[in-house]
Amino acid sequence: MDFVVGDRVRVEVGKPAHGGHCVARHEGIVLFVRHALPGEAVVAEITELHKGYLRADAIEILTASPDRVAAPCPYSGPNLCGGCDLQHASAPAQRAWKTAVVREQLARLGGLPDVEVTVEALPDDGFGWRTRVRYHIDALNRPGLLKHRSNEVVPIDRCLIAHPGIQELDVLQRRWPDADVVDVVAPAEGKAQIVAGQRISEFAVGRRFDLAATAFWQVHPAAADTLAECVLQFLAPKSGETALDLYGGAGLFAAALAAQGCQVTMVEAAGEGVKAARRSLGDAVQVVESSVERAKLPSADLVVLDPPRTGAGARVVRKISALAPRAIAYVACDPAALARDLKTFGEEGWELTNIRAFDCFPQTHHVECVALLVKIV
């Protein structure tokens, strides 16, 4: 390819692709273009060279999509903060974008071309939802956020997707000579605060969770209840059934299932999650500290799994399949990993019978999905 970083080309922008960019082509070469929308004509500046494709930023919009809006954040755009991929798209267009990506990943990677799924909004206006933020500190001790695919810090004075309580802190007005990062959290109970080893309280599924500020918890205030309600809707648990909560975190889904009268075993490898679940759930759930890969899993009527972004993987999928549960609910924060694992489940004789997707991360390309699997008879 006769290109160097910084070259500019005019391209017609095609469909969105997983990762926060759209696909375009120039003289037969594929470009993954950020800050563009489907149907636009743009001037794209090359940012990375790869074998068989290029990465680029849309630095000039020649023909704008009707879905384009002015990004409200001054740090959103080419060569600036990499956190928000989609501030230049209207809220309906963002959800349409994510819907297209989820469907494409399920079709291409999962072999599921006919899945009907539409990304659903959560109750907010798309800003002020992020209850956990990590600010990075630059060489001049200024706090900021990272550029896309970079360790370079962009100093900022405000993050619009941060929870209002976080925005009220003076973190961004101070210098931080003794820190590389500053983590902040806005818990359900109490004021937003800088993370310093303390414990916080979160509320979901009618229960209080006592966890370390650094422990995993959904960052959107409505996400925990939304996902738990979907899992319960899909699994329809019956009192007395046995259930497994794999990659259980602080015990969100375990608590939801236990409240329905299930006998629940939760498996979690992170010590902070295990401690939080044991403090919060007491004897209501059996908590096993182990990786799912290494754990000896008991048979169960129901299984819910919420693996990390990389997915569960074929080995774990087959391990779950061997338990022959009545139903499986798979919670996924990455549609590509979900699609790959659904393909493996299909090879093991499981059928995807329902799926919902939720816009738990507005202004970004990220999306949460919940899939229901039952054994093909």
Side-chain angles (χ1 to χ4, degrees):
M1 293 182 289
D2 297 325
F3 289 103
V4 296
V5 171
D7 281 352
R8 297 179 178 183
V9 295
R10 183 191 187 282
V11 294
E12 303 289 333
V13 179
K15 64 183 180 179
H18 183 39
H21 42 249
C22 291
V23 179
R25 286 177 171 79
H26 178 75
E27 297 179 355
I29 299 171
V30 173
L31 285 80
F32 293 109
V33 185
R34 284 171 57 84
H35 309 294
L37 291 174
E40 293 186 328
V42 307
V43 175
E45 182 174 281
I46 308 303
T47 57
E48 294 181 23
L49 308 176
H50 296 271
K51 185 177 181 180
Y53 69 94
L54 307 171
R55 293 186 182 274
D57 286 339
I59 60 167
E60 183 180 354
I61 310 303
L62 303 175
T63 304
S65 164
D67 293 323
R68 177 171 286 275
V69 299
C73 176
Y75 305 107
S76 176
N79 205 35
L80 295 172
C81 171
C84 290
D85 312 281
L86 300 179
Q87 278 199 21
H88 59 290
S90 68
Q94 290 185 31
R95 292 192 291 274
W97 173 304
K98 298 180 191 188
T99 294
V101 169
V102 171
R103 291 179 179 179
E104 188 272 340
Q105 295 291 286
L106 292 175
R108 185 170 60 86
L109 299 179
L112 298 164
D114 302 316
V115 176
E116 290 294 328
V117 59
T118 300
V119 174
E120 304 171 39
L122 266 60
D124 62 50
D125 64 356
F127 293 94
W129 54 267
R130 191 172 184 90
T131 59
R132 284 157 172 76
V133 179
R134 166 165 287 186
Y135 295 113
H136 293 259
I137 311 303
D138 72 2
L140 299 178
N141 304 322
R142 299 173 299 182
L145 298 170
L146 298 180
K147 291 184 179 182
H148 179 61
R149 294 171 59 84
S150 170
N151 290 320
E152 184 178 348
V153 177
V154 178
I156 65 172
D157 59 12
R158 188 183 181 193
C159 174
L160 294 184
I161 66 171
H163 187 279
I166 290 175
Q167 294 190 43
E168 291 171 2
L169 296 174
D170 67 351
V171 173
L172 297 178
Q173 285 70 52
R174 295 165 58 183
R175 296 294 177 104
W176 298 88
D178 300 318
D180 295 319
V181 298
V182 177
D183 291 309
V184 291
V185 59
E189 183 178 87
K191 295 182 178 180
Q193 56 200 273
I194 296 170
V195 173
Q198 76 276 19
R199 297 207 319 237
I200 60 172
S201 294
E202 297 288 1
F203 291 90
V205 297
R207 181 183 286 270
R208 179 178 180 271
F209 290 82
D210 177 7
L211 64 158
T214 52
F216 173 79
W217 190 260
Q218 289 288 337
V219 295
H220 192 295
D225 273 325
T226 298
L227 297 174
E229 288 168 7
C230 184
V231 165
L232 292 181
Q233 174 203 354
F234 280 2
L235 293 180
K238 302 177 181 65
S239 182
E241 286 191 308
T242 55
L244 279 174
D245 179 11
L246 306 180
Y247 312 93
L252 171 67
F253 301 119
L257 289 164
Q260 301 300 309
C262 292
Q263 302 172 38
V264 186
T265 299
M266 185 192 109
V267 180
E268 171 57 50
E272 287 183 345
V274 169
K275 291 175 184 177
R278 287 174 175 163
R279 282 194 303 264
S280 304
L281 306 182
D283 295 333
V285 172
Q286 180 183 0
V287 179
V288 176
E289 184 171 3
S290 172
S291 69
V292 176
E293 290 79 4
R294 295 186 176 184
K296 184 177 181 180
L297 303 180
S299 60
D301 299 304
L302 305 170
V303 173
V304 56
L305 67 155
D306 185 9
R309 193 168 302 280
T310 51
R315 179 184 171 191
V316 169
V317 167
R318 296 188 181 105
K319 190 173 183 177
I320 294 169
S321 178
L323 302 175
R326 173 173 67 77
I328 299 168
Y330 188 135
V331 182
C333 61
D334 184 275
L338 171 64
R340 288 190 292 267
D341 285 343
L342 290 182
K343 183 175 182 180
T344 306
F345 271 116
E347 292 167 353
E348 294 295 307
W350 294 83
E351 180 181 7
L352 176 67
T353 60
N354 206 343
I355 185 169
R356 294 177 69 186
F358 301 97
D359 194 9
C360 296
F361 312 94
Q363 315 305 328
T364 81
H365 74 271
H366 298 289
V367 61
E368 287 274 349
C369 298
V370 184
L372 175 63
L373 294 147
V374 297
K375 192 75 171 181
I376 299 172
V377 179

